[in-house]
Amino acid sequence: MFLPKVNVKDDPVRRWHRPDRQFFANGACQVLAFAFLDRYADLGFHARWIKPAAGFIGNHIFVTDEHNAFDYHGLTTEAQLLSLCFRRARRFHPGWNATLVDLPMDALISERRSRQFEGLWLREPKQFLHDALPRAQAFLDRFDNLRDRLITASASCTSRGAG
């Protein structure tokens, strides 16, 4: 969970000019998720929404193959990503809880489609100051080819290359 300065999300210029990690952590995570799914369509990932319980804030969307996960932090395991997210949210909001909701890829870039999920309302890439999709693709470029870094569910500390 990333907490921006007050009113940053309400100001398109200030929102756009935040550093990439802040931009994709708070308000454009769905665009980064879409860019990942588009680039790595053959890896079996899908989008997952962390939907806060009623009365709480802290929505977030990441991609997962049920073991690996990717968001603005980079590649990790889903268990590690969720642990970090829940721990941070509960630090600021005691009692915070959330459910996980799998989302279809088209909901990530369609405001109309996203609103079909109760409690979800996503911006489309072109609803930012500039089109956020090229920015998400450039952010992904920083991670080189993620295929080579996927963690297999069968890997252990004794597996070759583990560690």
Side-chain angles (χ1 to χ4, degrees):
M1 174 183 282
F2 176 82
L3 300 173
K5 293 179 182 176
V6 177
N7 297 327
V8 170
K9 288 179 76 173
D10 297 331
D11 181 338
V13 173
R14 289 177 66 201
R15 174 190 288 238
W16 184 262
H17 290 289
R18 289 187 295 168
D20 284 340
R21 285 193 65 211
Q22 292 177 23
F23 181 75
F24 293 116
N26 189 262
C29 55
Q30 74 278 10
V31 181
L32 182 59
F34 179 87
F36 182 98
L37 294 173
D38 186 54
R39 181 173 296 183
Y40 298 107
D42 60 322
L43 295 182
F45 278 74
H46 62 278
R48 184 161 283 165
W49 171 31
I50 302 172
K51 179 184 180 182
F56 289 102
I57 61 170
N59 287 286
H60 186 54
I61 295 173
F62 64 97
V63 296
T64 181
D65 66 0
E66 305 300 328
H67 183 73
N68 295 282
F70 181 86
D71 74 349
Y72 68 95
H73 291 104
L75 191 64
T76 187
T77 66
E78 183 173 21
Q80 289 172 324
L81 186 145
L82 291 173
S83 175
L84 176 65
C85 179
F86 276 65
R87 193 171 58 251
R88 283 184 177 173
R90 288 175 177 156
R91 182 183 325 145
F92 296 105
H93 306 283
W96 188 91
N97 205 2
T99 57
L100 302 177
V101 179
D102 290 341
L103 297 174
M105 189 172 169
D106 66 330
L108 302 175
I109 57 165
S110 169
E111 177 184 353
R112 182 189 58 75
R113 178 77 167 102
S114 75
R115 297 205 55 182
Q116 294 175 354
F117 295 84
E118 183 182 345
L120 190 63
W121 186 351
L122 300 175
R123 288 179 186 267
E124 297 178 11
K126 292 185 179 185
Q127 290 177 322
F128 292 88
L129 182 64
H130 305 287
D131 186 345
L133 192 52
R135 183 172 176 176
Q137 293 162 337
F139 185 76
L140 277 176
D141 290 344
R142 296 182 192 171
F143 296 93
D144 297 320
N145 185 351
L146 291 170
R147 283 181 179 86
D148 300 334
R149 298 180 28 223
L150 292 177
I151 304 159
T152 62
S154 63
S156 71
C157 61
T158 59
S159 297
R160 181 180 305 187

